[in-house]
Amino acid sequence: MFTDRRLTEAYENAKKVYFDDDSRIVFMSDAHRGDGSLSDEFLKNRNIFVHALNEYYENDYTFIEIGDGEEFLEYSNFEHIKNAHTDVYAVIKKFFDEDRYIRIFGNHDIYLQNERFVKKNFSINYDEYTEEYFDFLKGLEPLEAIVLKHRYTSQEFFTIHGHQGDAPNDQFWFFTMLSLKFFWRFFHRFGIKNPASPSKNINRRHKIERNYSKWIVKHQRPLICGHTHRFKFPKDKSIPYFNTGCGVYPASITTIELAEGMIRLVRWKTYVNDEGLLYIKRETMRGPEPIEVFDTRKPQKVVEYLALRKKQQSKEVREERAAFREAKMSQDKINGDAYDLNER
C-alpha cells in the first residue's frame, strides 16, 4: 500500500520528457561510483562503463541515469569520487553539454535531492593537474522521476529509481547510511555483502518486484527502474516491468535501450580472445520489441496489429540505423584486431 502511494505521488509530480521513434535513449542505473579504494565496487567495471558510454555518445543517444550513480552513503566527499573516476565524468559532461543527460536520484545518491548539495558539488570542478577550476555539470537538476511520453501516440514509460516504498532505503535511509558508512563499507573490501540490501536478499527483492508489478497492473503504466540490481525484461506483456540491472556485475554491466521505436535489454561484457587480449562486446539479451507491445492502454488486438506493422518494416534499414561501432569491432576481433582494455 505504501509503495503504491509513493510511486503514484512520484508519477503525478514527474517531469514529462517527450520522445518518438527517431529518439535514442539509454537507461543505466546503480553504478555506485566510489572513491577508487578497495571497497569501491564500481572500480572493476569502470573501463566497460566508459566504453559503453562513449559508444552511446557517438551514436547520438540520450543518457538517462536512473539512480545510485554515486555511492554517497559510503563516500560523502564527492571530490574523492570525481578524482577517482575522471574519465567517467568526462564522458558524462559531454552528454550534459549537449543536453543529452537526465539524472534521477536513488537511495544511495539521495543527497541529490538537496539543491544546495548539487550546486556546491556539481557546478564547478577542479583539475588537479592544470590547477584550474572549470564548469562541471552546472545547472544540473536531478529528478525523482520522469514520464517518457511518445510525441505522437502518447504512450508512456514511467521511469524512477525504485526505492520508493522500500522502508530501509526510503523513509529510513539515514539509518541505512550510518550502517553503510561505519560498518558494511569495510566488509566490502573482503567481499562480504550487506544482506539487508534488496540486491543480496532474495525475499526482499521479490517483495519489491511484486509491489512494482501490482502498481503497473493497477495504473496501467509501463515501469522502467533499477534499485534491485536484477535486470528484467517482461516475458508477460501484460506486466511491462523493465529493470536496467546494474553497473557492478562481475565483468559486465546491463542497460535498457530505446531506439528506432524498439526496446531491448543489453549487456556490455569483457571477453578475452585467443591471443589473450581483453575486449568489450555488446550483446542483446532480450528484445528488441516494438514499444507498442507494451502499450497497456489499448486493446490487445490493436497492440498486436501495431507491433506487427513495425516488425514488418525493413529490418535491415532499422538495424543499420541502430548499429553501433562495436559491430565493426566484433568483425575486427575475428581479424585479430581486438579492443584492448590495457590500452585505456
Side-chain angles (χ1 to χ4, degrees):
M1 189 68 178
F2 182 70
T3 301
D4 180 88
R5 179 162 61 84
R6 288 285 287 114
L7 289 176
T8 301
E9 287 175 353
Y11 172 80
E12 291 174 348
N13 295 318
K15 178 180 179 179
K16 286 186 172 58
V17 176
Y18 291 90
F19 76 103
D20 54 43
D21 285 359
D22 291 325
S23 301
R24 296 182 178 186
I25 302 169
V26 58
F27 306 86
M28 303 171 74
S29 75
D30 297 276
H32 293 275
R33 294 182 286 272
D35 65 355
S37 66
L38 290 176
S39 58
D40 184 355
E41 295 181 280
F42 172 73
L43 196 59
K44 60 182 178 292
N45 284 339
R46 180 173 61 188
N47 286 332
I48 303 176
F49 194 88
V50 171
H51 175 66
L53 273 191
N54 274 315
E55 289 297 296
Y56 288 125
Y57 176 79
E58 294 296 335
N59 284 279
D60 298 321
Y61 274 71
T62 293
F63 175 27
I64 301 180
E65 191 163 25
I66 55 176
D68 290 1
E70 286 83 26
E71 183 48 77
F72 284 139
L73 297 192
E74 294 187 35
Y75 319 99
S76 55
N77 192 327
F78 188 38
E79 289 299 320
H80 296 167
I81 299 175
K82 285 190 289 187
N83 290 336
H85 304 296
T86 54
D87 48 353
V88 175
Y89 290 105
V91 186
I92 289 177
K93 180 169 171 52
K94 290 197 297 184
F95 278 99
F96 180 79
D97 288 346
E98 296 185 13
D99 199 23
R100 290 161 51 194
Y101 181 61
I102 297 175
R103 184 63 184 268
I104 293 172
F105 60 80
N107 53 301
H108 284 256
D109 54 8
I110 199 166
Y111 294 169
L112 295 182
Q113 67 181 340
N114 186 317
E115 186 177 341
R116 291 178 61 188
F117 178 88
V118 174
K119 186 175 182 179
K120 175 183 176 182
N121 290 279
F122 286 82
S123 295
I124 296 175
N125 201 4
Y126 178 71
D127 190 319
E128 291 185 328
Y129 298 100
T130 64
E131 298 183 340
E132 294 177 344
Y133 288 93
F134 62 92
D135 284 348
F136 185 41
L137 306 183
K138 193 172 185 178
L140 178 68
E141 297 180 1
L143 306 166
E144 182 178 17
I146 63 171
V147 174
L148 280 174
K149 190 163 187 173
H150 198 285
R151 187 171 284 108
Y152 304 116
T153 69
S154 296
Q155 183 179 357
E156 293 181 352
F157 287 89
F158 179 42
T159 307
I160 194 168
H161 179 63
H163 65 282
Q164 289 76 5
D166 178 13
N169 296 299
D170 192 2
Q171 60 266 50
F172 302 127
W173 71 268
F174 181 78
F175 300 103
T176 300
M177 179 270 290
L178 294 178
S179 71
L180 284 169
K181 186 181 293 291
F182 299 110
F183 186 72
W184 287 109
R185 170 184 176 183
F186 303 100
F187 280 82
H188 288 172
R189 300 181 181 183
F190 304 100
I192 302 174
K193 308 299 182 182
N194 181 3
S197 169
S199 64
K200 306 302 176 186
N201 188 313
I202 295 176
N203 292 330
R204 290 195 63 243
R205 184 172 64 211
H206 286 175
K207 180 181 179 181
I208 291 169
E209 290 177 343
R210 284 196 300 271
N211 288 336
Y212 294 159
S213 298
K214 289 178 182 177
W215 188 90
I216 291 167
V217 172
K218 178 179 178 180
H219 298 275
Q220 292 296 290
R221 293 289 188 277
L223 176 66
I224 301 176
C225 66
H227 185 54
T228 66
H229 289 206
R230 181 164 78 157
F231 57 79
K232 294 285 287 185
F233 192 92
K235 295 180 180 178
D236 182 359
K237 304 298 191 298
S238 64
I239 306 179
Y241 162 49
F242 301 84
N243 195 300
T244 58
C246 69
V248 292
Y249 291 124
S252 68
I253 65 173
T254 54
T255 74
I256 296 287
E257 294 176 7
L258 199 164
E260 311 302 323
M262 311 288 281
I263 189 166
R264 71 177 82 199
L265 172 68
V266 167
R267 175 171 62 189
W268 297 82
K269 188 173 181 179
T270 302
Y271 289 92
V272 61
N273 67 6
D274 294 338
E275 297 177 354
L277 294 176
L278 295 175
Y279 66 96
I280 299 169
K281 183 178 179 181
R282 171 179 170 270
E283 303 170 329
T284 296
M285 301 176 68
R286 303 283 190 278
E289 290 282 356
I291 59 173
E292 287 83 0
V293 169
F294 306 104
D295 193 344
T296 52
R297 306 163 307 155
K298 294 184 173 66
Q300 187 62 29
K301 288 187 177 180
V302 174
V303 168
E304 292 174 353
Y305 171 73
L306 293 174
L308 180 62
R309 281 193 60 187
K310 181 167 286 185
K311 285 183 176 180
Q312 287 176 338
Q313 294 175 0
S314 172
K315 181 178 179 181
E316 182 179 350
V317 173
R318 190 175 67 237
E319 290 298 318
E320 183 179 350
R321 281 167 55 88
F324 278 72
R325 292 184 303 169
E326 60 88 27
K328 180 180 183 301
M329 292 179 188
S330 296
Q331 184 61 43
D332 290 342
K333 178 178 98 52
I334 296 174
N335 298 329
D337 186 15
Y339 179 81
D340 189 355
L341 279 179
N342 298 321
E343 293 181 358
R344 295 200 64 82

